[in-house]
Amino acid sequence: MSPCVTKVNSNLAAVTFFAKTHAGDVCGSNGLPLTPNSIAILGRAQYLKTIEHPNLCEYLDIIRGKHERTIIVSEYAGAPLDEKIKICNDVKTILRIFYQVAEGLNEINDHGFACHNLEPSNILLDSQNNVKLFNYGLFYMTKQGEYVSFPIGNIRYLPPERLLGSQNNIKSDVWSLGMIIAELFLECQFWSSLKISNIIRKILSLSNVSKVFEKIAREHNCFEKYDNLNSDVRELIERCLSTSISSRPMPNDIINNKLFQENIETYAYKAPPKPEQLLLRCPLKQVYYLWQLAGGDVQTELKKEGLIRSEAPILSMPKIVCLNGKIGGSKRSQSHLADNRIVILRLNNLVERLRKVPSMAYFPLIHSPKFAVHYGAGMEQLPLVIRERDTEYQFYRVMLFSRMLKGYPFTRDMIIKEAQIDIPPLLRGAVWACLLDVIEDGSYERIDKVTPTSTDRQIEVDIPRCHQYDELLSSPEGHRKLKRLLKAWVASHPQYVYWQGLDSLTAPFLYLNFNNEERAFLSLYKFIPKYLHWFFLKDNSAVIKEYLCKFSQLTAYHEPVLAKHLNSISFIPELFAIPWFLTMFSHVFPLHKIIHLWDKLMLGDNSYPLFIGISVLKQLKSTLMSSGFNECILLFSDLPDIVMETCVVESQKMYSVTPKSICYRKNVLHEVDPGEFDISDISLSELQGEVSPRISANDLIDLIFNGKDAVVILDLRGSLEFSRMRVAGSINIPFTTVLLGDTRLESLGVPNLESILADKIVVIVSVVHENAVLFSKFLIDCGVSRVCVLHQGFNILHAVVPSVLVST
Amino acid sequence: MATTPRGGGTAQRPNGASQNKICQFKLVLLGESAVGKSSLVLRFVKGQFHEYQESTIGAAFLTQTLCIDDTAVKFEIWDTAGQERYHSLAPMYYRGAQAAIVVYDIQNQDSFQRAKTWVKELQRQASPNIVIALAGNKADLSNSRVVEYEEAKQYAEENGLLFMETSAKTAMNVNDIFLAIAKKLPKNDGAGNQGSGQGRRLAEVEQNRQTNNCCK
């Protein structure tokens, strides 16, 4: 690796412009505020980030600044043609440019839009004289220029039809290409001394000229050069400059012209030698991401170059404000004018930060245990927010995960293992999809997302209210995508219906996979049966009731004192927890919190969300304990700031120490049939009658053999039966001796019972289930935690082999 | 007459020692989704308006106190989800309620029809003495009105409902409609001087459906 940091060539650059501000009216006809144009641009431009082609600069980021400022970060490789014009004087190089620009235009055309911004300064040439078009998406992202107040494209290279208002035709770009190539061959800039109005006049006057190239050549006294050109070349340029659009070639026709095809290797893209800096071999999106982590800030860079200038606000005060909102009298601010300067984002800081990274780390050998150096080890202990912002750590994580993702689905187990540590934010969408077992197979495309249905109205009123603080989700493009996803989900699930809340549930997936709707869809598609099985049935009341009942039971299991209090004030989950679970908290938390919550959720099973719910209660415990019903419900109507990290840690802790059968619900996707010693089929009414959860014989046995004293068994049978046969170490509390009204542990007459039960899972074993249920309530009232009842009672233990019972 | 809404969260005893009566009423908001139920409550309780008010899932609960003469009227407001599918939850909220505001959007005929169905349901299943108000919301957007004022007014009169066109956005008639309800609710002696709310125990309320007395 080169130690010399100053010589790093950066190929990241930023340009900036202002989106048009809405004049006067701030609200549309629906009463909602008009979406700022910069947000609309931000949404549209996301698509450009997906375009990867050797002849096009890669789009990396779109940033909104103050006052509708829009900043575009993109690749910038090489130097612009207008700077290199002197060395582009041989036929071969010019034809190479001709060919490769056509390749770039062809790709743009394949993506269904037009460039309309082609000029020498936007054609970059690298060391091999490969072409990369720059800023080719400006026309597209601004919706044909609708969102900005300046004209797009250099007048000099615009064809007559563009001047007359026609747009969106790639053939207009072919004209621009023709002009640029003509200039190169004739070695002069056309109409260089004319004013803009005269240039327009000149171009329009070409409208009825049959041989434009020849006409221009004569006008600039270059007829000789024109005449000396190879006739095929001359012919092709002449066709590009044909005023009749239909006789102009498509970019693809230029590419396939025999002029190029006969000598294709001379003209085609030649990959430049790999940069010595390993960092520069990484995908640009990663480099840019790391650059930001290393302290890079595009706005600061633009400020340094004077592209963002701040003015005293008082100077921009209008002199007149009309009642209709129109303002006038303020001088047009110079700082708001379009400025097409390009600012290179220097990589020095990033390179310095990653200087100590060994070359090996760029190529993690995930399948060779011999070389498995765990980079970044030791950092796991740091808080997540710090890890997520540490350049070096994220570098290791991104390298590792990108490598693993390439091997998916075969590397799924490795991905799960690493995801347990943390998930790099840059790759979160893809990692989640892996955790959810998503395989992209093109199925999304085939789903009908267009046909109107009866749910459309509901979807349409919900979308403009769904996480609208987020720029992406509030953009018109975001609205369209969310609508398509929801319609697709409804269309592919005839057994389910759209419940309000599905929008919130979909939002995180769209947010992370904005440019990959299929992945967003399939993630949602897999997520719902895993965590919300049958929640979206038309009649989901039994499912929700069971869920909330299990939530109450688990609250009593982990937080008996709190559960008792909430129960005493009739603060039932039905009143506050439906939006929590129906949307997996995506309706109650902002996106940046949901993401960290779901990072862990994805690794747990269907019971995990219940523990999140309990940890939320736990965090608010002191307030809840001292409040009555009204205060409690008010607290949840406007959920206070929950510390997500604590919530995640807490819920994980509870999740990992709770035996699986404790969380048993009927309404989940059961992958294996339950055995004799598992819990199966508890009816809703039975469930609702029990304060404590049940535990399966399997889990109890497992606890007895492997639990290392994690369990205490309280046997409610009579002392005679107990002495005859019992689980070794269990404590006998004959039910007949229990005074249910006297809720003190001491009343049971077992010495040191409180300390015996502390930090243990307390399993109540009986032959009369009703007694066990009553006794569990008694224990909860005494404040004993982790109380559960053995499913099917003592008698099930007779059948267990090897026996856990002892007799005297 | 003092009509100032007071503090958001807990019931605050109004200033002025002469005010010695506190009445608590349970009020429920019903209506089609996106007509502005939550926005009305937010405007009334916090004096705020959010353009992108999130949809309500299940229900939300808020309280607000109004002063009428020497009586402080505390509303315990259940703001319900609008989507038809959440209908099955609605009885849990309107049972035992002494007042209801049924909201529609003046730009949307369907939402007016839906409001009529809610009124019917309330008349049939809620407490017999429930005070029902009809609110034609989004009155600031009268340019795109489809439900005529007269039409709704007439319907309200025929059914004995309070009626106002409101705008949560401009705050037009928002306090007024709550105030009108407060005035119409019976505030008999000894009413609601209890420390905690009538509408608080939904489970109990369900069992005691026959109660229709305002503050007891």
Side-chain angles (χ1 to χ4, degrees), chain B residues 95-98 126-129 198 204-205 207-214 216:
Chain B
R95 257 176 224 151
Q98 290 94 0
S127 318
N129 289 348
Q198 159 89 10
E204 278 173 30
V205 175
Q207 287 150 17
N208 305 325
R209 277 195 51 203
Q210 72 281 8
T211 52
N212 48 38
N213 194 349
C214 91
K216 271 240 151 100

Side-chain angles (χ1 to χ4, degrees), chain A residues 498 500 587 633 637-638, chain B residues 46 55 61 76 83 85-86:
Chain A
Y498 174 82
Q500 268 187 319
H587 191 73
I633 195 90
S637 279
D638 210 357
Chain B
K46 297 187 182 166
S55 56
F61 179 83
E76 296 177 335
Q83 193 189 7
R85 301 201 190 291
Y86 288 96

Side-chain angles (χ1 to χ4, degrees), chain A residues 278 356-365 373 375 395-400 403:
Chain A
L278 288 175
K356 289 192 209 105
V357 167
S359 313
M360 282 278 285
Y362 285 87
F363 311 99
L365 297 170
V373 187
Y375 297 110
F395 169 82
Y396 294 130
R397 299 302 279 171
V398 167
M399 290 301 136
L400 177 63
R403 181 56 65 98

Side-chain angles (χ1 to χ4, degrees), chain A residues 459-501:
Chain A
I459 291 175
E460 265 156 30
V461 298
D462 286 346
I463 287 175
R465 305 190 277 170
C466 180
H467 294 290
Q468 292 301 293
Y469 52 85
D470 180 70
E471 292 173 339
L472 280 181
L473 294 182
S474 68
S475 69
E477 196 59 36
H479 285 190
R480 268 191 293 277
K481 282 173 183 283
L482 187 51
K483 184 174 173 190
R484 276 201 296 268
L485 285 169
L486 291 172
K487 280 181 74 82
W489 189 86
V490 174
S492 53
H493 294 87
Q495 72 277 35
Y496 292 142
V497 295
Y498 174 82
W499 280 84
Q500 268 187 319

Side-chain angles (χ1 to χ4, degrees), chain A residues 17-82:
Chain A
F17 58 86
F18 282 97
K20 195 158 49 178
T21 44
H22 293 296
D25 279 346
V26 284
C27 283
S29 57
N30 59 356
L32 288 175
L34 294 170
T35 310
N37 283 325
S38 55
I39 288 199
I41 292 173
L42 184 100
R44 267 181 86 83
Q46 296 304 314
Y47 175 73
L48 296 170
K49 294 205 283 194
T50 65
I51 301 176
E52 284 179 26
H53 187 272
N55 296 117
L56 298 176
C57 287
E58 194 179 339
Y59 276 90
L60 298 167
D61 198 10
I62 299 90
I63 303 164
R64 282 180 74 224
K66 279 185 193 159
H67 310 301
E68 291 295 89
R69 178 183 289 284
T70 305
I71 301 162
I72 310 293
V73 182
S74 133
E75 179 183 6
Y76 194 84
L81 179 58
D82 50 358

Side-chain angles (χ1 to χ4, degrees), chain A residues 760-777:
Chain A
K760 298 276 163 68
I761 295 175
V762 181
V763 182
I764 303 171
V765 172
S766 169
V767 279
V768 185
H769 183 68
E770 291 69 33
N771 295 349
V773 171
L774 286 171
F775 187 64
S776 71
K777 177 154 190 323

